């Protein structure tokens, strides 16, 4: 079995109008922003948020499992605040139903429909995670670059690639809670261009009909002239088993993005997993 790679990509354009006027005299409340940089690289959940923030619960202790009922992929609508926000954080918490989580590490994803009235259309990924072995976790991550689209009525999805459920010998699944935490303030004036939603591709093949290029179509994007900075937000996770040296998530892989024939490369490899605060795991 060849390694599988989960991929999602978007562009965040800073300096593009996203509502409001850069030259207005709007006054904003003086609310300290959460220090995501200090929380890196594990992004554990804080004990409390500053007064003046607005927390919207998207999923509230929702069951996710596979069994008589298939709750691997669940959806819900939420009404999000509108206005100017200096920061938006995403709170993701997984708990063990009856104290009995899924025994295995599973890929997971929090997503939002690009059009809330079209659930069969494209989806925008907000967060990617891998579940711990048989224990809960809580992560708080920065989604401020998406603030301009995290407003109004939206359709959300939560997916966990679990194959256990109530009464299963390897665990009962997961209980999922997701919140968005808004800090009002002067916004960055950014906009988002979606390129690829979450998809699974096979890596490790070199034949033209099976390589990475054959599985991902090029996308032409028009960058607005007023954009001051363009960031490519790429999320990848490799997961599988077997193949050469039982590679998959156990081997470093080079990732390439080609823009107008210019190559941009990173490896995304980490060597500090032993410091993971979500420990011990089974």
């Amino acid at each position: 079995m060849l390694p599988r790679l989960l991929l999602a990509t978007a562009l965040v354009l800073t300096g593009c109008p996203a509502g409001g006027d850069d030259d207005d005299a709007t006054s904003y409340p003086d609310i300290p922003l959460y220090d995501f940089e200090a929380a890196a690289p594990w992004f554990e959940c804080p004990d409390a948020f500053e007064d003046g923030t607005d927390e919207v619960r998207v999923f509230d202790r929702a069951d996710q499992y596979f069994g008589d009922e298939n709750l691997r992929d669940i959806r819900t609508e939420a009404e999000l605040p509108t206005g100017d926000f200096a920061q938006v954080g995403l709170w993701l918490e997984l708990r063990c139903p009856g104290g009995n989580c899924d025994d295995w590490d599973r890929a997971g994803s929090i997503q939002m429909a690009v059009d809330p009235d079209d659930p069969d259309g494209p989806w925008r990924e907000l967060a990617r995670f891998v579940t711990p072995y048989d224990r809960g976790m809580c992560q708080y991550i920065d989604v401020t670059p998406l603030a301009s689209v995290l407003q109004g009525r939206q359709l959300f999805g939560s997916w966990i690639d679990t194959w256990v459920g109530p009464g299963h010998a390897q665990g009962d699944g997961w209980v999922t809670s997701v919140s968005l935490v808004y800090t009002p303030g002067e916004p960055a004036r950014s906009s988002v261009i979606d390129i690829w939603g979450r998809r699974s591709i096979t890596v490790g093949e070199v034949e033209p009909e099976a390589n990475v290029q054959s599985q991902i179509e090029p996308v032409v994007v028009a960058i607005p002239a007023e954009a001051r900075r363009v960031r490519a937000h790429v999320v990848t996770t490799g997961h599988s088993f077997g193949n050469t040296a039982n590679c998959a998530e156990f081997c470093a892989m080079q990732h390439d993005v080609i823009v107008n024939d210019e190559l941009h490369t990173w490896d995304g490899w980490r060597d500090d997993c032993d410091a993971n605060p979500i420990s011990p795991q089974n």
Side-chain angles (χ1 to χ4, degrees):
M1 180 175 181
L2 286 162
R4 301 291 291 176
L5 189 70
L6 281 172
L7 169 71
T9 308
L11 294 182
V12 179
L13 284 63
T14 303
C16 295
D21 185 345
D22 285 329
D23 298 323
D24 64 21
T26 303
S27 61
Y28 297 101
D30 186 16
I31 302 174
L33 300 181
Y34 182 77
D35 193 344
F36 284 102
E37 185 174 340
W42 302 108
F43 301 103
E44 296 179 88
C45 289
D47 294 329
F49 296 106
E50 298 285 346
D51 291 340
T53 58
D54 185 6
E55 180 179 359
V56 178
R57 183 60 63 97
V58 176
F59 290 100
D60 188 9
R61 292 167 290 186
D63 289 323
Q64 290 203 255
Y65 57 75
F66 179 78
D68 293 338
E69 188 175 8
N70 184 356
L71 297 178
R72 300 171 73 246
D73 196 339
I74 58 176
R75 297 180 178 183
T76 189
E77 281 195 356
E79 189 68 36
L80 306 180
T82 59
D84 289 344
F85 302 103
Q87 188 178 73
V88 184
L90 186 146
W91 172 292
L92 166 64
E93 184 175 11
L94 300 180
R95 294 186 179 183
C96 302
N100 190 22
C101 281
D102 187 341
D103 287 354
W104 295 98
D105 55 332
R106 311 288 191 180
S109 176
I110 306 300
Q111 302 175 71
M112 184 177 76
V114 173
D115 180 353
D117 294 320
D118 184 13
D120 297 322
W123 286 70
R124 177 182 295 123
E125 186 171 61
L126 307 180
R128 176 84 56 80
F129 59 94
V130 175
T131 66
Y133 292 90
D134 195 23
R135 64 170 294 166
M137 72 175 193
C138 190
Q139 318 296 146
Y140 186 55
I141 66 172
D142 189 10
V143 292
T144 305
L146 299 175
S148 63
V149 296
L150 290 170
Q151 304 200 24
R153 182 180 65 88
Q154 299 295 344
L155 176 64
F156 291 90
S158 175
W159 169 77
I160 299 179
D161 192 23
T162 183
W163 296 100
V164 303
H168 195 283
Q170 296 181 353
D172 292 340
W174 302 97
V175 177
T176 303
S177 294
V178 175
S179 293
L180 291 167
V181 180
Y182 293 79
T183 303
E186 185 172 1
R189 304 299 184 200
S190 62
S191 60
V192 180
I193 299 176
D194 297 291
I195 298 180
W196 297 294
R198 193 198 77 217
R199 62 181 61 195
S200 180
I201 64 173
T202 298
V203 297
E205 296 281 20
V206 297
E207 292 75 12
E209 70 277 6
N211 62 13
V212 171
Q213 289 91 329
S214 69
Q215 300 173 72
I216 301 178
E217 71 283 359
V219 175
V220 176
V221 176
I223 305 299
E226 64 269 24
R228 295 196 304 266
R229 179 170 59 185
V230 181
R231 290 182 173 180
H233 183 78
V234 184
V235 183
T236 63
T237 49
H239 208 75
S240 184
F241 60 88
N243 51 74
T244 303
N246 193 29
C247 193
E249 69 267 34
F250 306 108
C251 293
M253 295 186 184
Q254 176 177 307
H255 302 276
D256 298 329
V257 171
I258 302 169
V259 182
N260 292 345
D261 296 325
E262 183 177 347
L263 181 65
H264 303 266
T265 298
W266 76 101
D267 63 14
W269 185 252
R270 296 180 60 165
D271 59 6
D272 59 351
C273 290
D274 58 320
N276 190 338
I278 307 175
S279 299
Q281 297 184 32
N282 291 333

